[in-house]
Amino acid sequence: MAEDTQQPESGEQDDQTPSLPENRVDVEDAGTLKKKVTVTVPRERIDAKLDEVFGELHQSVQVPGFRVGHAPRRLLEKRFGNEVGEDVRNALVGESVGGAIEQAELKTLGEPDIDLDAIELPEEGDMSFSFEVEVAPEFELPELEGIPVEKPVMEVTDERIDEQLEQMRQSQASYEAAEAPAEKGDAVTVDAVISGEGVEELKRDDLELRVAAGQVEGIPLLELPDKMEGKAAGDTVELTAKVPESHPNEDWQGKEVNIALTVKQVRKRSLPEVDDAFAQSIGFDTAGELRDYIASGMESRLQDEVQRHMRNQVCEYLLENTDFELPEGVAKRHSARVLQRRYVDLLYRGVPREQVDENMAQLQAEADKQAESDLKLSFILSKVAEQEGVEVDEAEINAHIAQMAASYGRRPERLRQELESEGNLEQVAVTIKEEKALDKLLDEAKVTEVSEEELRKRQEESSEQDQDTDDKKPAGKKAAKKSAGKDTSEKADEAAEGKKAKKTASGGAKKAAKKTSQKSSKKSTGKSDKKDDEKPDDKG
Amino acid sequence: MKLQTYEVVIRPLVTEKSTHQAGVQNCYAFEVHPEANKAQIRNAVEKIYDVKVLDVRTSLRRGKPRRTRFVQSRTKHWKKAVVELHPDYRIDLF
């Protein structure tokens, strides 16, 4: 008689046995670095979960004809069975996946891909489902002690300081109107007339030009300084130039144009002497102080440079001496991310979309390759970290965040919060860990010192790409610092990107890069610009 | 006119009270046609649910007064029947 009343049911809800039978987990291989995991959830667990959910429902749901909390369980099952079933299924799958992976002692990468709708919660009996996960590759680390590393010896020399001072003088130069003919480095005011076949004549008055390689209306004029030299007010200079394909004016693209420049005024450049007055004008007390400041800045920059160079060598060594396959899915995802970044980067730098699309196949191939080395390196380093017992503590994470915050000009606490909410804090910890592992390897490495000249010679021989590194030395301190603080995989990233930039820069890219570097201060090359651009979306 | 079987029993009443009675007294409540008599109800329930009915108790439920602004109205009157079954039979209303 009492079968249909609520009492027995609510009694059942309460005795949730603490010792439920475990899920059964079966693992089988499914392709390279892929495992198929089958989980069987015993009936008792399903029932316990159902009881729990219905218990909650019972207390809260309003059914017409019943007071809250008084509707019989069977009615609820009938009414809400489907939804509850789904919930219970999702919850059970969610709970058991993590447990199953742990139980099977798999080092998984990424989230297992599970189609929840395909799994059915059976009315009776155990529930079983399976999913595939990618696992971290197993591999042997090469000999970690005594990795041969070359340490470039770079010293802060007076020469270098002078070089830098010279650049500062240039940037502080003042111009005064004079009658004398123009020399290189002087400024001129000109009226320009642009004409040519199929080109509407264009006049531009009172253009301010430097007697240096520059541009008029977006047309690069490389021979300007030679032609302009020695001209005084009233003289006219005729130039011909080819308009780049990427020029915004479509009528002009790829055409030869004549440019006539009539000099109106020549202004002599006068460079300030490096003395106390010069020092004071840029915020130092004496010229000596300025020198000291430059020296200390250069010192730390060179150190960063050396450090980076050595780290790169360790990375290369590790990559060369370890051999394993990468799980496909992860590699694909990463490569897609890399590609995306490259694509946006190229567009951002003014390369026309069609051109980028044309080179898509090439970009794709490069992204694949880069993704592969990135991933390999991070696998290797995490293994190294494990083997060498590298730990990261809270203080280090905070320090790293503070550094990042400083370079973005943000408040550290805010940045930390943001990272936490986006779940990137883990990533930061991993980055630090990898860096520490690298440092540890460096400590144990066999360091041979190489003089700077030798290094430079070798670099010049090896490829054009590495020259950028040389150019970069005087580039902004910020850039150097940033890269030092960066994820190692990103460093590899940069190196590879340098290569890429060269390759893809068949037309527009190269010119665009050149343009930017000319426009911005002479010091920073296209490459360091790019790094600044790229930084923000690294974290995204 | 003769009432058809399915005109007699309009719907079972699933409420706290009715489920309680079902459990304790084996009685089930229905809304029935206001003009149906006990015999018709007995036959209808026996036919629809395939059970043996011991007793039928009916009551007329008067509609409740309703008002929309100034318009007075009321809900309809209806007939409720409580049907007691033979202890060997049960109806699963859910």
Side-chain angles (χ1 to χ4, degrees):
Chain A
M1 266 287 236
E3 190 176 87
D4 280 345
T5 55
Q6 317 149 16
Q7 277 81 13
E9 268 113 2
S10 58
E12 247 172 43
Q13 281 162 22
D14 289 339
D15 63 39
Q16 275 200 13
T17 39
S19 59
L20 288 165
E22 287 292 318
N23 295 341
R24 213 180 66 231
V25 180
D26 299 310
V27 182
E28 16 176 328
D29 278 329
T32 37
L33 299 170
K34 250 186 175 180
K35 300 276 180 199
K36 185 175 177 183
V37 182
T38 308
V39 182
T40 310
V41 184
R43 188 70 219 173
E44 286 89 335
R45 271 181 176 265
I46 302 175
D47 286 343
K49 194 81 200 172
L50 279 170
D51 282 348
E52 191 186 307
V53 176
F54 275 121
E56 272 168 33
L57 207 59
H58 184 250
Q59 292 304 323
S60 60
V61 77
Q62 228 177 353
V63 184
F66 296 89
R67 290 168 292 165
V68 170
H70 285 267
R73 161 106 184 234
R74 285 207 28 241
L75 182 64
L76 294 182
E77 280 178 14
K78 201 81 177 185
R79 276 201 149 196
F80 301 104
N82 288 342
E83 289 120 43
V84 170
E86 257 168 48
D87 281 356
V88 167
R89 179 193 70 199
N90 295 356
L92 282 174
V93 171
E95 275 171 21
S96 53
V97 165
I101 288 168
E102 225 163 81
Q103 211 175 319
E105 290 174 353
L106 295 174
K107 280 188 197 164
T108 55
L109 299 169
E111 289 294 305
D113 187 19
I114 302 175
D115 184 9
L116 280 173
D117 294 330
I119 304 169
E120 262 180 48
L121 188 71
E123 292 275 314
E124 273 170 42
D126 301 345
M127 175 174 84
S128 83
F129 62 95
S130 56
F131 56 91
E132 287 184 355
V133 283
E134 292 191 301
V135 294
E138 300 271 330
F139 56 92
E140 293 284 314
L141 283 176
E143 184 62 47
L144 291 181
E145 269 176 54
I147 298 171
V149 169
E150 286 172 350
K151 180 180 185 173
V153 185
M154 298 193 190
E155 274 165 9
V156 180
T157 54
D158 282 349
E159 255 171 65
R160 285 201 169 147
I161 297 176
D162 286 341
E163 217 173 86
Q164 183 122 15
L165 276 174
E166 182 62 30
Q167 272 170 1
M168 293 175 88
R169 281 178 69 200
Q170 303 262 6
S171 66
Q172 296 285 323
S174 55
Y175 298 92
E176 273 159 36
E179 293 299 312
E183 283 171 41
K184 281 185 187 169
D186 289 348
V188 286
T189 308
V190 296
D191 289 344
V193 178
I194 301 171
S195 58
E197 264 190 63
V199 173
E200 214 170 295
E201 199 171 82
L202 182 77
K203 279 187 187 164
R204 285 265 181 264
D205 289 347
D206 295 330
L207 286 178
E208 300 284 338
L209 290 180
R210 292 271 310 276
V211 183
Q215 50 86 23
V216 169
E217 288 292 303
I219 305 165
L221 301 174
L222 296 175
E223 43 191 8
L224 181 69
D226 295 331
K227 295 259 176 124
M228 191 59 92
E229 204 177 355
K231 297 281 192 283
D235 291 346
T236 301
V237 180
E238 293 274 351
L239 290 166
T240 53
K242 198 166 166 24
V243 183
E245 293 286 353
S246 59
H247 197 277
N249 188 336
E250 281 177 19
D251 292 342
W252 290 8
Q253 283 171 6
K255 287 188 179 148
E256 292 269 335
V257 290
N258 290 313
I259 300 171
L261 302 173
T262 313
V263 181
K264 282 174 128 179
Q265 190 189 31
V266 176
R267 276 164 303 148
K268 282 280 161 201
R269 180 172 68 161
S270 61
L271 296 176
E273 286 302 315
V274 180
D275 53 15
D276 288 358
F278 174 65
Q280 272 155 23
S281 75
I282 43 177
F284 292 92
D285 281 344
T286 61
E289 221 170 277
L290 177 59
R291 278 189 89 87
D292 287 347
Y293 175 76
I294 293 174
S296 70
M298 198 177 281
E299 172 88 40
S300 68
R301 218 152 50 227
L302 288 181
Q303 259 173 15
D304 283 345
E305 181 76 19
V306 169
Q307 193 71 16
R308 214 157 50 87
H309 188 80
M310 284 163 63
R311 278 186 181 175
N312 276 347
Q313 284 180 357
V314 173
C315 292
E316 266 167 40
Y317 170 86
L318 288 174
L319 280 176
E320 264 169 36
N321 290 291
T322 336
D323 184 37
F324 58 90
E325 276 185 59
L326 285 171
E328 219 172 284
V330 177
K332 229 178 234 165
R333 277 199 297 277
H334 191 80
S335 133
R337 246 196 334 261
V338 170
L339 186 67
Q340 173 80 12
R341 209 192 292 163
R342 286 289 309 152
Y343 191 82
V344 172
D345 188 35
L346 282 176
L347 290 184
Y348 187 76
R349 283 194 284 141
V351 183
R353 186 179 284 272
E354 304 83 54
Q355 202 174 336
V356 180
D357 286 340
E358 256 170 51
N359 290 327
M360 209 58 196
Q362 195 186 354
L363 283 177
Q364 178 75 57
E366 276 155 10
D368 282 348
K369 215 156 72 189
Q370 196 196 328
E372 191 185 316
S373 68
D374 278 4
L375 284 173
K376 271 193 175 177
L377 196 62
S378 73
F379 280 132
I380 296 170
L381 283 178
S382 74
K383 182 143 185 187
V384 169
E386 199 180 302
Q387 193 166 321
E388 302 276 314
V390 174
E391 296 286 339
V392 178
D393 60 34
E394 199 66 2
E396 280 168 317
I397 295 179
N398 284 337
H400 191 87
I401 290 175
Q403 203 183 6
M404 272 164 61
S407 68
Y408 292 147
R410 311 257 317 260
R411 297 233 324 271
E413 309 90 63
R414 286 284 306 275
L415 188 65
R416 193 193 160 96
Q417 254 177 14
E418 210 167 280
L419 286 171
E420 242 167 275
S421 66
E422 284 169 17
N424 286 337
L425 205 58
E426 190 84 346
Q427 190 57 39
V428 175
V430 171
T431 310
I432 300 173
K433 204 170 191 176
E434 288 180 354
E435 239 164 74
K436 281 182 82 176
L438 258 185
D439 283 344
K440 195 139 193 176
L441 291 183
L442 265 184
D443 283 346
E444 294 164 357
K446 207 168 73 192
V447 179
T448 43
E449 298 205 338
V450 184
S451 73
E452 211 175 327
E453 289 81 43
E454 202 177 322
L455 195 71
R456 191 168 305 187
K457 220 189 295 169
R458 218 179 307 160
Q459 273 174 354
E460 268 162 30
E461 278 166 19
S462 62
S463 75
E464 199 192 340
Q465 144 212 356
D466 288 339
Q467 277 176 356
D468 284 356
T469 335
D470 265 5
D471 296 345
K472 207 156 62 182
K473 235 177 285 160
K477 184 180 178 183
K478 218 168 77 189
K481 257 229 176 101
K482 262 187 201 168
S483 63
K486 260 192 188 178
D487 177 352
T488 40
S489 62
E490 270 166 31
K491 258 178 262 156
D493 205 304
E494 279 164 38
E497 244 158 31
K499 228 182 287 171
K500 240 187 275 175
K502 282 274 137 55
K503 275 190 210 157
T504 44
S506 46
K510 205 178 229 166
K511 279 165 196 161
K514 222 179 247 169
K515 239 188 276 171
T516 35
S517 62
Q518 273 170 5
K519 272 182 205 161
S520 59
S521 78
K522 257 187 173 177
K523 289 186 255 175
S524 59
T525 62
K527 201 174 174 193
S528 57
D529 279 356
K530 179 179 33 170
K531 211 172 2 172
D532 290 334
D533 299 340
E534 205 175 51
K535 198 77 217 237
D537 57 37
D538 283 342
K539 301 294 153 199
Chain B
M1 211 187 95
K2 207 189 148 214
L3 284 173
Q4 297 298 312
T5 310
Y6 283 90
E7 281 176 313
V8 175
V9 174
I10 296 172
R11 63 182 176 120
L13 298 174
V14 182
T15 64
E16 212 174 313
K17 182 176 181 177
S18 74
T19 33
H20 178 72
Q21 285 180 332
V24 178
Q25 300 164 6
N26 205 14
C27 290
Y28 299 86
F30 299 91
E31 184 187 341
V32 293
H33 194 285
E35 278 162 31
N37 60 32
K38 288 185 180 177
Q40 285 170 325
I41 296 168
R42 170 195 293 267
N43 288 337
V45 170
E46 283 187 343
K47 192 169 173 204
I48 294 170
Y49 293 101
D50 196 16
V51 289
K52 194 168 175 205
V53 175
L54 289 188
D55 189 16
V56 178
R57 300 183 286 273
T58 59
S59 61
L60 282 171
R61 314 299 316 209
R62 297 188 62 78
K64 295 175 183 177
R66 291 281 180 263
R67 196 193 69 187
T68 314
R69 308 201 68 168
F70 309 113
V71 183
Q72 277 289 346
S73 60
R74 45 168 60 248
T75 58
K76 69 171 198 264
H77 306 305
W78 56 283
K79 186 180 252 184
K80 174 181 174 179
V82 177
V83 177
E84 189 181 342
L85 299 187
H86 187 274
D88 289 350
Y89 297 91
R90 298 205 161 269
I91 296 177
D92 186 4
L93 288 180
F94 308 141

